[in-house]
Amino acid sequence: MKNNAPSMIDPFGRMVEYLRVSVTDRCDFRCVYCMAEDMTFLPKKELLTLEELERLCNVFVEKGVRKLRLTGGEPLVRRGIMDLIRNLGKMLDGGGLDELTLTTNGSQLAKYSAELVDAGVKRINVSLDTLDEAKFAEITRWGRLPQVMTGLEAAKKAGLQIKINAVALKEVNEHEIEGMMQWAHGEGFDFTLIETMPLGEIDEDRTDQYLPLSTVRERLEEKYSLIDIPYKTGGPARYVKVKETDGRIGFITPMTHNFCESCNRVRLTCTGTLYMCLGQDDAADLREPLRGSNGNELVSQAIDEAISRKPKGHDFVIGRNSAPSVSRHMSTTGG
Ligand code: SAM
Ligand code: SF4
């Protein structure tokens, strides 16, 4: 079903059709590249209510957004999240929305997979950087691998299509990447690799973590035939088919390849701030116009104004001792 709404076009002619919503900045894990261990989270009173988030999503869909992705923090730890997901799901099948999906760490999937399917969710991204239990605990600090594996089983059984997202981390999981690909493809999952991005202060040096995906690809090509394919999911990944496994690998390369030219996304935080680029600080407040009137005219105007300022791209650099390119964490803006 196509959305007949007017399109949102930015100054560079890119159509904005994809909204990522960080529904909470909180999480039950503390991944080393994402958060410091003693994170200070937003006071609850700063958050938009679930009803307010829903209203904003409705306005975006009326304005031309066709794909919504809920993220966080961990979206499935926000209380009442299934009510929001069910209500948003009503915009599928003729309500203007083509896809409702989420990115999750998998910890709550045993509980929610069946309900997600009922609400109209068809595909999910599950972040998983290693299949080694000890390493998993090290990377996520508070996470436990068996919980995620049980969640993945439940998701598969419920009929969700699954994409595993792994951040490529030098010396941490770089030698596991081939094994993870084999496992993911064996399970019928897509597998996507992401370069670590300089977002927010963490406890470690990012130069020590950064592994360019060009290197990973070259290594895989020594053993496998990777065939470029035009497969698209509306996100920033470029896909290849692996001839030997008959599975797909996506590469998200914000650092080694500028992925901005086809950017169709904007990001909304749980406080109602709209970021037009993951890698820039410029943002627009939608909370005040949202709360300022019962109608949606003010919010709609604020969104138009924000889209007219969407920047051309990010300026990420990872260097020793360099400060993060943007100070907010991925868990704030939503990955
Ligand atoms: N908690 C959920 C999860 O982990 O999937 C959703 C939010 S998380 C911030 C979204 C994605 O961002 C995850 O795949 C995570 O690995 C990734 N991520 C977090 N910090 C990152 C960073 N500095 N660079 C690259 N990816 C990052
Ligand atoms: Fe939580 Fe996801 Fe960040 Fe890990 S990457 S700390 S699971 S928000």
PDB file of all heavy atoms in Angstrom, residues 198-231:
ATOM      1  N   PRO A 198      31.946   7.359  16.409  1.00  0.00           N
ATOM      2  CA  PRO A 198      32.345   8.139  17.579  1.00  0.00           C
ATOM      3  C   PRO A 198      31.183   8.927  18.193  1.00  0.00           C
ATOM      4  O   PRO A 198      31.060  10.124  18.016  1.00  0.00           O
ATOM      5  CB  PRO A 198      33.412   9.080  17.008  1.00  0.00           C
ATOM      6  CG  PRO A 198      33.047   9.219  15.565  1.00  0.00           C
ATOM      7  CD  PRO A 198      32.382   7.951  15.146  1.00  0.00           C
ATOM      8  N   LEU A 199      30.342   8.232  18.950  1.00  0.00           N
ATOM      9  CA  LEU A 199      29.162   8.876  19.525  1.00  0.00           C
ATOM     10  C   LEU A 199      29.188   8.777  21.050  1.00  0.00           C
ATOM     11  O   LEU A 199      29.063   7.693  21.608  1.00  0.00           O
ATOM     12  CB  LEU A 199      27.889   8.188  19.025  1.00  0.00           C
ATOM     13  CG  LEU A 199      27.671   8.157  17.512  1.00  0.00           C
ATOM     14  CD1 LEU A 199      26.469   7.299  17.169  1.00  0.00           C
ATOM     15  CD2 LEU A 199      27.462   9.565  16.984  1.00  0.00           C
ATOM     16  N   GLY A 200      29.332   9.894  21.711  1.00  0.00           N
ATOM     17  CA  GLY A 200      29.231   9.920  23.171  1.00  0.00           C
ATOM     18  C   GLY A 200      30.497   9.469  23.876  1.00  0.00           C
ATOM     19  O   GLY A 200      31.287   8.689  23.358  1.00  0.00           O
ATOM     20  N   GLU A 201      30.674   9.983  25.079  1.00  0.00           N
ATOM     21  CA  GLU A 201      31.819   9.582  25.900  1.00  0.00           C
ATOM     22  C   GLU A 201      31.579   8.174  26.417  1.00  0.00           C
ATOM     23  O   GLU A 201      30.523   7.868  26.965  1.00  0.00           O
ATOM     24  CB  GLU A 201      31.946  10.512  27.130  1.00  0.00           C
ATOM     25  CG  GLU A 201      32.396  11.927  26.818  1.00  0.00           C
ATOM     26  CD  GLU A 201      33.852  12.028  26.380  1.00  0.00           C
ATOM     27  OE1 GLU A 201      34.594  11.032  26.494  1.00  0.00           O
ATOM     28  OE2 GLU A 201      34.222  13.116  25.914  1.00  0.00           O
ATOM     29  N   ILE A 202      32.559   7.287  26.240  1.00  0.00           N
ATOM     30  CA  ILE A 202      32.469   5.951  26.815  1.00  0.00           C
ATOM     31  C   ILE A 202      33.716   5.761  27.671  1.00  0.00           C
ATOM     32  O   ILE A 202      34.514   6.680  27.821  1.00  0.00           O
ATOM     33  CB  ILE A 202      32.355   4.861  25.727  1.00  0.00           C
ATOM     34  CG1 ILE A 202      33.489   5.029  24.685  1.00  0.00           C
ATOM     35  CG2 ILE A 202      31.003   4.915  25.048  1.00  0.00           C
ATOM     36  CD1 ILE A 202      33.616   3.869  23.729  1.00  0.00           C
ATOM     37  N   ASP A 203      33.907   4.571  28.226  1.00  0.00           N
ATOM     38  CA  ASP A 203      35.051   4.392  29.123  1.00  0.00           C
ATOM     39  C   ASP A 203      36.328   3.998  28.385  1.00  0.00           C
ATOM     40  O   ASP A 203      37.382   3.908  28.969  1.00  0.00           O
ATOM     41  CB  ASP A 203      34.729   3.317  30.176  1.00  0.00           C
ATOM     42  CG  ASP A 203      33.519   3.701  31.016  1.00  0.00           C
ATOM     43  OD1 ASP A 203      33.315   4.909  31.211  1.00  0.00           O
ATOM     44  OD2 ASP A 203      32.791   2.802  31.464  1.00  0.00           O
ATOM     45  N   GLU A 204      36.226   3.703  27.092  1.00  0.00           N
ATOM     46  CA  GLU A 204      37.387   3.184  26.373  1.00  0.00           C
ATOM     47  C   GLU A 204      37.815   4.121  25.243  1.00  0.00           C
ATOM     48  O   GLU A 204      37.111   5.057  24.910  1.00  0.00           O
ATOM     49  CB  GLU A 204      37.062   1.821  25.756  1.00  0.00           C
ATOM     50  CG  GLU A 204      35.914   1.137  26.422  1.00  0.00           C
ATOM     51  CD  GLU A 204      36.178  -0.323  26.729  1.00  0.00           C
ATOM     52  OE1 GLU A 204      36.969  -0.912  25.989  1.00  0.00           O
ATOM     53  OE2 GLU A 204      35.593  -0.832  27.689  1.00  0.00           O
ATOM     54  N   ASP A 205      38.955   3.809  24.648  1.00  0.00           N
ATOM     55  CA  ASP A 205      39.449   4.590  23.526  1.00  0.00           C
ATOM     56  C   ASP A 205      38.899   3.975  22.237  1.00  0.00           C
ATOM     57  O   ASP A 205      39.107   2.802  21.966  1.00  0.00           O
ATOM     58  CB  ASP A 205      40.987   4.531  23.514  1.00  0.00           C
ATOM     59  CG  ASP A 205      41.566   5.444  22.435  1.00  0.00           C
ATOM     60  OD1 ASP A 205      40.873   5.721  21.441  1.00  0.00           O
ATOM     61  OD2 ASP A 205      42.720   5.866  22.606  1.00  0.00           O
ATOM     62  N   ARG A 206      38.205   4.776  21.441  1.00  0.00           N
ATOM     63  CA  ARG A 206      37.565   4.210  20.252  1.00  0.00           C
ATOM     64  C   ARG A 206      38.558   3.764  19.188  1.00  0.00           C
ATOM     65  O   ARG A 206      38.259   2.913  18.359  1.00  0.00           O
ATOM     66  CB  ARG A 206      36.605   5.208  19.632  1.00  0.00           C
ATOM     67  CG  ARG A 206      35.424   5.476  20.506  1.00  0.00           C
ATOM     68  CD  ARG A 206      34.351   6.181  19.750  1.00  0.00           C
ATOM     69  NE  ARG A 206      33.326   6.653  20.667  1.00  0.00           N
ATOM     70  CZ  ARG A 206      32.277   5.946  21.036  1.00  0.00           C
ATOM     71  NH1 ARG A 206      32.105   4.739  20.564  1.00  0.00           N
ATOM     72  NH2 ARG A 206      31.395   6.445  21.871  1.00  0.00           N
ATOM     73  N   THR A 207      39.758   4.364  19.191  1.00  0.00           N
ATOM     74  CA  THR A 207      40.749   3.966  18.198  1.00  0.00           C
ATOM     75  C   THR A 207      41.077   2.487  18.385  1.00  0.00           C
ATOM     76  O   THR A 207      41.378   1.775  17.439  1.00  0.00           O
ATOM     77  CB  THR A 207      42.046   4.781  18.378  1.00  0.00           C
ATOM     78  OG1 THR A 207      41.688   6.082  18.738  1.00  0.00           O
ATOM     79  CG2 THR A 207      42.882   4.777  17.131  1.00  0.00           C
ATOM     80  N   ASP A 208      41.002   2.030  19.652  1.00  0.00           N
ATOM     81  CA  ASP A 208      41.316   0.632  19.922  1.00  0.00           C
ATOM     82  C   ASP A 208      40.212  -0.295  19.432  1.00  0.00           C
ATOM     83  O   ASP A 208      40.414  -1.476  19.269  1.00  0.00           O
ATOM     84  CB  ASP A 208      41.499   0.415  21.436  1.00  0.00           C
ATOM     85  CG  ASP A 208      42.706   1.195  21.952  1.00  0.00           C
ATOM     86  OD1 ASP A 208      43.605   1.470  21.144  1.00  0.00           O
ATOM     87  OD2 ASP A 208      42.719   1.542  23.142  1.00  0.00           O
ATOM     88  N   GLN A 209      39.019   0.235  19.218  1.00  0.00           N
ATOM     89  CA  GLN A 209      37.880  -0.610  18.845  1.00  0.00           C
ATOM     90  C   GLN A 209      37.618  -0.608  17.346  1.00  0.00           C
ATOM     91  O   GLN A 209      36.974  -1.506  16.829  1.00  0.00           O
ATOM     92  CB  GLN A 209      36.592  -0.086  19.501  1.00  0.00           C
ATOM     93  CG  GLN A 209      36.629  -0.015  21.005  1.00  0.00           C
ATOM     94  CD  GLN A 209      35.337   0.602  21.551  1.00  0.00           C
ATOM     95  OE1 GLN A 209      34.642   1.336  20.868  1.00  0.00           O
ATOM     96  NE2 GLN A 209      35.038   0.290  22.786  1.00  0.00           N
ATOM     97  N   TYR A 210      38.092   0.440  16.668  1.00  0.00           N
ATOM     98  CA  TYR A 210      37.669   0.656  15.287  1.00  0.00           C
ATOM     99  C   TYR A 210      38.284  -0.335  14.308  1.00  0.00           C
ATOM    100  O   TYR A 210      39.495  -0.497  14.246  1.00  0.00           O
ATOM    101  CB  TYR A 210      38.008   2.097  14.881  1.00  0.00           C
ATOM    102  CG  TYR A 210      37.718   2.385  13.435  1.00  0.00           C
ATOM    103  CD1 TYR A 210      36.443   2.191  12.917  1.00  0.00           C
ATOM    104  CD2 TYR A 210      38.716   2.845  12.585  1.00  0.00           C
ATOM    105  CE1 TYR A 210      36.169   2.437  11.581  1.00  0.00           C
ATOM    106  CE2 TYR A 210      38.452   3.105  11.244  1.00  0.00           C
ATOM    107  CZ  TYR A 210      37.177   2.887  10.758  1.00  0.00           C
ATOM    108  OH  TYR A 210      36.910   3.119   9.442  1.00  0.00           O
ATOM    109  N   LEU A 211      37.427  -1.024  13.568  1.00  0.00           N
ATOM    110  CA  LEU A 211      37.868  -1.979  12.559  1.00  0.00           C
ATOM    111  C   LEU A 211      37.153  -1.638  11.256  1.00  0.00           C
ATOM    112  O   LEU A 211      35.934  -1.766  11.164  1.00  0.00           O
ATOM    113  CB  LEU A 211      37.487  -3.401  13.017  1.00  0.00           C
ATOM    114  CG  LEU A 211      37.701  -4.550  12.049  1.00  0.00           C
ATOM    115  CD1 LEU A 211      39.188  -4.755  11.762  1.00  0.00           C
ATOM    116  CD2 LEU A 211      37.118  -5.846  12.619  1.00  0.00           C
ATOM    117  N   PRO A 212      37.896  -1.174  10.236  1.00  0.00           N
ATOM    118  CA  PRO A 212      37.215  -0.803   8.998  1.00  0.00           C
ATOM    119  C   PRO A 212      36.606  -2.023   8.307  1.00  0.00           C
ATOM    120  O   PRO A 212      37.239  -3.074   8.232  1.00  0.00           O
ATOM    121  CB  PRO A 212      38.327  -0.189   8.126  1.00  0.00           C
ATOM    122  CG  PRO A 212      39.601  -0.355   8.870  1.00  0.00           C
ATOM    123  CD  PRO A 212      39.346  -0.972  10.204  1.00  0.00           C
ATOM    124  N   LEU A 213      35.415  -1.871   7.810  1.00  0.00           N
ATOM    125  CA  LEU A 213      34.763  -3.018   7.173  1.00  0.00           C
ATOM    126  C   LEU A 213      35.393  -3.381   5.838  1.00  0.00           C
ATOM    127  O   LEU A 213      35.208  -4.493   5.345  1.00  0.00           O
ATOM    128  CB  LEU A 213      33.268  -2.754   7.005  1.00  0.00           C
ATOM    129  CG  LEU A 213      32.454  -2.758   8.297  1.00  0.00           C
ATOM    130  CD1 LEU A 213      30.970  -2.625   8.001  1.00  0.00           C
ATOM    131  CD2 LEU A 213      32.694  -4.021   9.112  1.00  0.00           C
ATOM    132  N   SER A 214      36.139  -2.431   5.258  1.00  0.00           N
ATOM    133  CA  SER A 214      36.849  -2.781   4.019  1.00  0.00           C
ATOM    134  C   SER A 214      37.807  -3.940   4.321  1.00  0.00           C
ATOM    135  O   SER A 214      37.947  -4.876   3.526  1.00  0.00           O
ATOM    136  CB  SER A 214      37.602  -1.559   3.478  1.00  0.00           C
ATOM    137  OG  SER A 214      38.301  -0.930   4.522  1.00  0.00           O
ATOM    138  N   THR A 215      38.439  -3.922   5.491  1.00  0.00           N
ATOM    139  CA  THR A 215      39.344  -5.003   5.889  1.00  0.00           C
ATOM    140  C   THR A 215      38.570  -6.306   6.082  1.00  0.00           C
ATOM    141  O   THR A 215      38.982  -7.379   5.641  1.00  0.00           O
ATOM    142  CB  THR A 215      40.039  -4.637   7.235  1.00  0.00           C
ATOM    143  OG1 THR A 215      40.595  -3.350   7.101  1.00  0.00           O
ATOM    144  CG2 THR A 215      41.087  -5.632   7.651  1.00  0.00           C
ATOM    145  N   VAL A 216      37.420  -6.212   6.745  1.00  0.00           N
ATOM    146  CA  VAL A 216      36.617  -7.411   6.991  1.00  0.00           C
ATOM    147  C   VAL A 216      36.192  -8.028   5.665  1.00  0.00           C
ATOM    148  O   VAL A 216      36.270  -9.240   5.455  1.00  0.00           O
ATOM    149  CB  VAL A 216      35.358  -7.046   7.818  1.00  0.00           C
ATOM    150  CG1 VAL A 216      34.440  -8.238   7.982  1.00  0.00           C
ATOM    151  CG2 VAL A 216      35.751  -6.476   9.172  1.00  0.00           C
ATOM    152  N   ARG A 217      35.774  -7.173   4.746  1.00  0.00           N
ATOM    153  CA  ARG A 217      35.305  -7.674   3.448  1.00  0.00           C
ATOM    154  C   ARG A 217      36.441  -8.373   2.687  1.00  0.00           C
ATOM    155  O   ARG A 217      36.263  -9.455   2.142  1.00  0.00           O
ATOM    156  CB  ARG A 217      34.729  -6.514   2.632  1.00  0.00           C
ATOM    157  CG  ARG A 217      34.132  -6.982   1.345  1.00  0.00           C
ATOM    158  CD  ARG A 217      33.367  -5.917   0.602  1.00  0.00           C
ATOM    159  NE  ARG A 217      33.026  -6.489  -0.691  1.00  0.00           N
ATOM    160  CZ  ARG A 217      31.999  -6.131  -1.441  1.00  0.00           C
ATOM    161  NH1 ARG A 217      31.206  -5.188  -1.046  1.00  0.00           N
ATOM    162  NH2 ARG A 217      31.776  -6.707  -2.595  1.00  0.00           N
ATOM    163  N   GLU A 218      37.605  -7.720   2.713  1.00  0.00           N
ATOM    164  CA  GLU A 218      38.750  -8.344   2.020  1.00  0.00           C
ATOM    165  C   GLU A 218      39.052  -9.728   2.584  1.00  0.00           C
ATOM    166  O   GLU A 218      39.307 -10.681   1.853  1.00  0.00           O
ATOM    167  CB  GLU A 218      40.013  -7.481   2.179  1.00  0.00           C
ATOM    168  CG  GLU A 218      40.100  -6.364   1.163  1.00  0.00           C
ATOM    169  CD  GLU A 218      41.066  -5.271   1.603  1.00  0.00           C
ATOM    170  OE1 GLU A 218      42.018  -5.567   2.373  1.00  0.00           O
ATOM    171  OE2 GLU A 218      40.853  -4.109   1.186  1.00  0.00           O
ATOM    172  N   ARG A 219      39.001  -9.833   3.914  1.00  0.00           N
ATOM    173  CA  ARG A 219      39.292 -11.130   4.533  1.00  0.00           C
ATOM    174  C   ARG A 219      38.247 -12.174   4.142  1.00  0.00           C
ATOM    175  O   ARG A 219      38.583 -13.320   3.854  1.00  0.00           O
ATOM    176  CB  ARG A 219      39.303 -10.991   6.052  1.00  0.00           C
ATOM    177  CG  ARG A 219      40.553 -10.320   6.551  1.00  0.00           C
ATOM    178  CD  ARG A 219      40.541 -10.358   8.068  1.00  0.00           C
ATOM    179  NE  ARG A 219      41.475  -9.401   8.603  1.00  0.00           N
ATOM    180  CZ  ARG A 219      41.363  -8.832   9.791  1.00  0.00           C
ATOM    181  NH1 ARG A 219      40.341  -9.126  10.574  1.00  0.00           N
ATOM    182  NH2 ARG A 219      42.261  -7.983  10.207  1.00  0.00           N
ATOM    183  N   LEU A 220      36.985 -11.773   4.139  1.00  0.00           N
ATOM    184  CA  LEU A 220      35.941 -12.736   3.763  1.00  0.00           C
ATOM    185  C   LEU A 220      36.108 -13.162   2.314  1.00  0.00           C
ATOM    186  O   LEU A 220      35.889 -14.330   1.960  1.00  0.00           O
ATOM    187  CB  LEU A 220      34.549 -12.120   3.958  1.00  0.00           C
ATOM    188  CG  LEU A 220      34.043 -12.016   5.403  1.00  0.00           C
ATOM    189  CD1 LEU A 220      32.753 -11.194   5.466  1.00  0.00           C
ATOM    190  CD2 LEU A 220      33.790 -13.402   6.013  1.00  0.00           C
ATOM    191  N   GLU A 221      36.547 -12.216   1.488  1.00  0.00           N
ATOM    192  CA  GLU A 221      36.676 -12.520   0.051  1.00  0.00           C
ATOM    193  C   GLU A 221      37.799 -13.503  -0.243  1.00  0.00           C
ATOM    194  O   GLU A 221      37.857 -14.085  -1.320  1.00  0.00           O
ATOM    195  CB  GLU A 221      36.855 -11.222  -0.747  1.00  0.00           C
ATOM    196  CG  GLU A 221      35.502 -10.559  -0.961  1.00  0.00           C
ATOM    197  CD  GLU A 221      35.562  -9.238  -1.702  1.00  0.00           C
ATOM    198  OE1 GLU A 221      36.559  -8.500  -1.517  1.00  0.00           O
ATOM    199  OE2 GLU A 221      34.611  -8.952  -2.443  1.00  0.00           O
ATOM    200  N   GLU A 222      38.691 -13.693   0.732  1.00  0.00           N
ATOM    201  CA  GLU A 222      39.727 -14.705   0.525  1.00  0.00           C
ATOM    202  C   GLU A 222      39.110 -16.106   0.499  1.00  0.00           C
ATOM    203  O   GLU A 222      39.642 -17.027  -0.091  1.00  0.00           O
ATOM    204  CB  GLU A 222      40.784 -14.622   1.636  1.00  0.00           C
ATOM    205  CG  GLU A 222      41.685 -13.409   1.469  1.00  0.00           C
ATOM    206  CD  GLU A 222      42.528 -13.123   2.707  1.00  0.00           C
ATOM    207  OE1 GLU A 222      42.617 -14.008   3.594  1.00  0.00           O
ATOM    208  OE2 GLU A 222      43.075 -12.006   2.783  1.00  0.00           O
ATOM    209  N   LYS A 223      37.970 -16.273   1.177  1.00  0.00           N
ATOM    210  CA  LYS A 223      37.347 -17.598   1.254  1.00  0.00           C
ATOM    211  C   LYS A 223      35.985 -17.715   0.587  1.00  0.00           C
ATOM    212  O   LYS A 223      35.534 -18.805   0.295  1.00  0.00           O
ATOM    213  CB  LYS A 223      37.180 -17.993   2.729  1.00  0.00           C
ATOM    214  CG  LYS A 223      38.455 -18.490   3.359  1.00  0.00           C
ATOM    215  CD  LYS A 223      38.261 -18.904   4.777  1.00  0.00           C
ATOM    216  CE  LYS A 223      37.499 -20.217   4.936  1.00  0.00           C
ATOM    217  NZ  LYS A 223      37.436 -20.590   6.374  1.00  0.00           N
ATOM    218  N   TYR A 224      35.314 -16.598   0.434  1.00  0.00           N
ATOM    219  CA  TYR A 224      33.930 -16.649  -0.068  1.00  0.00           C
ATOM    220  C   TYR A 224      33.770 -15.755  -1.286  1.00  0.00           C
ATOM    221  O   TYR A 224      34.495 -14.775  -1.448  1.00  0.00           O
ATOM    222  CB  TYR A 224      32.958 -16.158   1.023  1.00  0.00           C
ATOM    223  CG  TYR A 224      32.983 -17.002   2.261  1.00  0.00           C
ATOM    224  CD1 TYR A 224      33.864 -16.708   3.312  1.00  0.00           C
ATOM    225  CD2 TYR A 224      32.149 -18.103   2.395  1.00  0.00           C
ATOM    226  CE1 TYR A 224      33.899 -17.492   4.452  1.00  0.00           C
ATOM    227  CE2 TYR A 224      32.177 -18.895   3.538  1.00  0.00           C
ATOM    228  CZ  TYR A 224      33.053 -18.577   4.564  1.00  0.00           C
ATOM    229  OH  TYR A 224      33.090 -19.363   5.682  1.00  0.00           O
ATOM    230  N   SER A 225      32.755 -16.080  -2.096  1.00  0.00           N
ATOM    231  CA  SER A 225      32.433 -15.198  -3.228  1.00  0.00           C
ATOM    232  C   SER A 225      31.315 -14.262  -2.781  1.00  0.00           C
ATOM    233  O   SER A 225      30.206 -14.724  -2.476  1.00  0.00           O
ATOM    234  CB  SER A 225      31.926 -16.010  -4.415  1.00  0.00           C
ATOM    235  OG  SER A 225      32.748 -17.120  -4.606  1.00  0.00           O
ATOM    236  N   LEU A 226      31.633 -12.989  -2.723  1.00  0.00           N
ATOM    237  CA  LEU A 226      30.639 -11.996  -2.318  1.00  0.00           C
ATOM    238  C   LEU A 226      30.136 -11.289  -3.569  1.00  0.00           C
ATOM    239  O   LEU A 226      30.913 -10.690  -4.307  1.00  0.00           O
ATOM    240  CB  LEU A 226      31.239 -10.963  -1.352  1.00  0.00           C
ATOM    241  CG  LEU A 226      31.962 -11.496  -0.111  1.00  0.00           C
ATOM    242  CD1 LEU A 226      32.335 -10.347   0.818  1.00  0.00           C
ATOM    243  CD2 LEU A 226      31.104 -12.501   0.647  1.00  0.00           C
ATOM    244  N   ILE A 227      28.859 -11.384  -3.791  1.00  0.00           N
ATOM    245  CA  ILE A 227      28.286 -10.807  -5.016  1.00  0.00           C
ATOM    246  C   ILE A 227      27.418  -9.614  -4.634  1.00  0.00           C
ATOM    247  O   ILE A 227      26.468  -9.755  -3.855  1.00  0.00           O
ATOM    248  CB  ILE A 227      27.427 -11.862  -5.755  1.00  0.00           C
ATOM    249  CG1 ILE A 227      28.284 -13.110  -6.017  1.00  0.00           C
ATOM    250  CG2 ILE A 227      26.837 -11.312  -7.039  1.00  0.00           C
ATOM    251  CD1 ILE A 227      27.508 -14.392  -6.047  1.00  0.00           C
ATOM    252  N   ASP A 228      27.762  -8.426  -5.164  1.00  0.00           N
ATOM    253  CA  ASP A 228      26.962  -7.234  -4.873  1.00  0.00           C
ATOM    254  C   ASP A 228      25.548  -7.443  -5.384  1.00  0.00           C
ATOM    255  O   ASP A 228      25.359  -7.896  -6.504  1.00  0.00           O
ATOM    256  CB  ASP A 228      27.567  -5.996  -5.557  1.00  0.00           C
ATOM    257  CG  ASP A 228      28.816  -5.533  -4.823  1.00  0.00           C
ATOM    258  OD1 ASP A 228      28.747  -5.360  -3.593  1.00  0.00           O
ATOM    259  OD2 ASP A 228      29.868  -5.370  -5.475  1.00  0.00           O
ATOM    260  N   ILE A 229      24.568  -7.109  -4.538  1.00  0.00           N
ATOM    261  CA  ILE A 229      23.172  -7.240  -4.987  1.00  0.00           C
ATOM    262  C   ILE A 229      22.432  -5.939  -4.687  1.00  0.00           C
ATOM    263  O   ILE A 229      22.811  -5.207  -3.772  1.00  0.00           O
ATOM    264  CB  ILE A 229      22.443  -8.431  -4.292  1.00  0.00           C
ATOM    265  CG1 ILE A 229      22.639  -8.388  -2.756  1.00  0.00           C
ATOM    266  CG2 ILE A 229      22.874  -9.757  -4.876  1.00  0.00           C
ATOM    267  CD1 ILE A 229      21.774  -9.369  -2.001  1.00  0.00           C
ATOM    268  N   PRO A 230      21.397  -5.653  -5.434  1.00  0.00           N
ATOM    269  CA  PRO A 230      20.691  -4.376  -5.237  1.00  0.00           C
ATOM    270  C   PRO A 230      19.689  -4.418  -4.082  1.00  0.00           C
ATOM    271  O   PRO A 230      18.934  -3.472  -3.895  1.00  0.00           O
ATOM    272  CB  PRO A 230      19.961  -4.162  -6.580  1.00  0.00           C
ATOM    273  CG  PRO A 230      19.788  -5.528  -7.140  1.00  0.00           C
ATOM    274  CD  PRO A 230      20.886  -6.399  -6.604  1.00  0.00           C
ATOM    275  N   TYR A 231      19.693  -5.494  -3.270  1.00  0.00           N
ATOM    276  CA  TYR A 231      18.731  -5.628  -2.179  1.00  0.00           C
ATOM    277  C   TYR A 231      18.760  -4.404  -1.270  1.00  0.00           C
ATOM    278  O   TYR A 231      19.819  -3.927  -0.874  1.00  0.00           O
ATOM    279  CB  TYR A 231      19.070  -6.894  -1.385  1.00  0.00           C
ATOM    280  CG  TYR A 231      18.191  -7.167  -0.201  1.00  0.00           C
ATOM    281  CD1 TYR A 231      16.874  -7.581  -0.370  1.00  0.00           C
ATOM    282  CD2 TYR A 231      18.673  -7.020   1.091  1.00  0.00           C
ATOM    283  CE1 TYR A 231      16.063  -7.848   0.727  1.00  0.00           C
ATOM    284  CE2 TYR A 231      17.864  -7.287   2.201  1.00  0.00           C
ATOM    285  CZ  TYR A 231      16.557  -7.695   1.999  1.00  0.00           C
ATOM    286  OH  TYR A 231      15.763  -7.948   3.088  1.00  0.00           O
TER     287      TYR A 231
END
